[in-house]
């Protein structure tokens, strides 16, 4: 099921979709999956200190995970609705795109971005991260790719093509979706190399599973990129058909998630 904009090579140009997720910030925060503890622990261990900048922090999902791991987190997000929700959960947030955000001389031990770096220019974003990181600081960007059972994925693709026939989304298979994410993370790594100021990027991968009931998955589905801009009647049609497919396989399923990451350490001594 597509979660990326229709032009995955330059997703940062699709600002309308990038800023559509705040339409239902409470649902987004309630349903979107958290990040593997092993990922958070690895980033904290590789950072020279506890000061974290969270780019595209959204409702504060990963920010709260880093806070729980002992970090002090500042979030940056372009959507005031998402930022306001995050503030209510105890995350300090400043509203701006990362490219336009003013660090005001502040420096950080880690710059992280969960499910959001594809909305940032990969070269300009990496260059800015290098400027705000302390020597030895870590840039770590990460996101989930997921693979629902074929019956669920096929039902989604079928109804989506019917209700939005002119959509640029093509109903790619879960395998294709993972391939797209792999290619996107390779582009992130290339952006870090092109920006300079970092050692060679590392690629990390975490595979895990999460079970969903029918209602849980239908609650999450409207927060994915291809559905956030759909009219209510078309969204309802998509959810009804996907719900029928889940009923047919027993009313629930286990989702396979792959969390991909690219991490690089800032070089230099100043």
């Amino acid at each position: 099921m597509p979660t990326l904009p229709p032009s995955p090579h330059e997703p940062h140009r699709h600002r309308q979709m990038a800023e559509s997720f705040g339409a239902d910030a409470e649902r987004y925060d309630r349903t979107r999956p958290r990040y593997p503890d092993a990922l958070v622990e690895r980033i904290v261990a590789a950072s020279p200190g506890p000061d974290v900048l969270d780019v595209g922090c959204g409702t504060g999902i990963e920010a709260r995970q880093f806070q729980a791991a002992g970090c002090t987190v500042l979030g940056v997000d372009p959507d005031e609705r998402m930022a306001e929700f995050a503030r209510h959960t105890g995350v300090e947030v400043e509203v701006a795109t990362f490219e336009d955000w003013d660090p005001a001389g502040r420096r950080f031990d880690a710059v992280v971005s969960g499910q959001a770096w594809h909305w940032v220019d990969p070269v300009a974003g990496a260059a800015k991260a290098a400027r705000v990181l302390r020597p030895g600081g870590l840039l770590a960007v990460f996101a989930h790719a997921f693979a629902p059972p074929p019956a669920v994925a096929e039902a989604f693709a079928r109804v989506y093509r019917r209700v939005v026939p002119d959509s640029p989304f093509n109903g790619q298979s879960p395998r294709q979706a993972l391939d797209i994410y792999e290619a996107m993370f390779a582009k992130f790594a290339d952006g870090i190399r092109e920006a300079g100021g970092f050692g060679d990027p590392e690629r990390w991968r975490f595979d895990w599973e999460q079970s969903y009931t029918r209602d849980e998955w239908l609650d999450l589905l409207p927060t994915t990129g291809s559905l956030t801009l759909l009219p209510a009647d078309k969204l309802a049609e998509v959810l009804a058909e996907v719900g029928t497919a889940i009923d047919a396989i027993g009313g629930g399923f286990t989702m396979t998630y792959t969390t991909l990451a690219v991490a690089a350490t800032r070089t230099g001594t100043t």
Side-chain angles (χ1 to χ4, degrees), residues 59-79:
T59 59
I61 291 172
E62 68 270 10
R64 296 192 298 273
Q65 290 186 255
F66 281 98
Q67 287 177 331
C71 297
T72 300
V73 183
L74 173 65
V76 176
D77 198 276
D79 191 324

Side-chain angles (χ1 to χ4, degrees), residues 169-184:
F169 291 100
N170 61 8
Q172 70 263 25
S173 72
R175 180 69 254 172
Q176 290 173 313
L178 180 56
D179 290 344
I180 289 172
Y181 270 83
E182 290 279 11
M184 185 174 67

Side-chain angles (χ1 to χ4, degrees), residues 54-107:
D54 184 2
V55 176
C57 70
T59 59
I61 291 172
E62 68 270 10
R64 296 192 298 273
Q65 290 186 255
F66 281 98
Q67 287 177 331
C71 297
T72 300
V73 183
L74 173 65
V76 176
D77 198 276
D79 191 324
E80 175 61 43
R81 299 164 299 179
M82 301 286 263
E84 187 62 21
F85 187 99
R87 293 184 189 114
H88 283 300
T89 71
V91 179
E92 182 182 353
V93 186
E94 298 179 5
V95 176
T97 63
F98 184 49
E99 294 92 333
D100 294 335
W101 172 70
D102 181 7
R106 290 167 291 184
R107 306 286 293 276

Side-chain angles (χ1 to χ4, degrees), residues 152-165:
V152 178
E154 290 163 7
F156 176 89
R158 182 172 59 249
V159 65
Y160 196 83
R161 284 194 297 265
R162 185 175 73 245
V163 302
V164 197

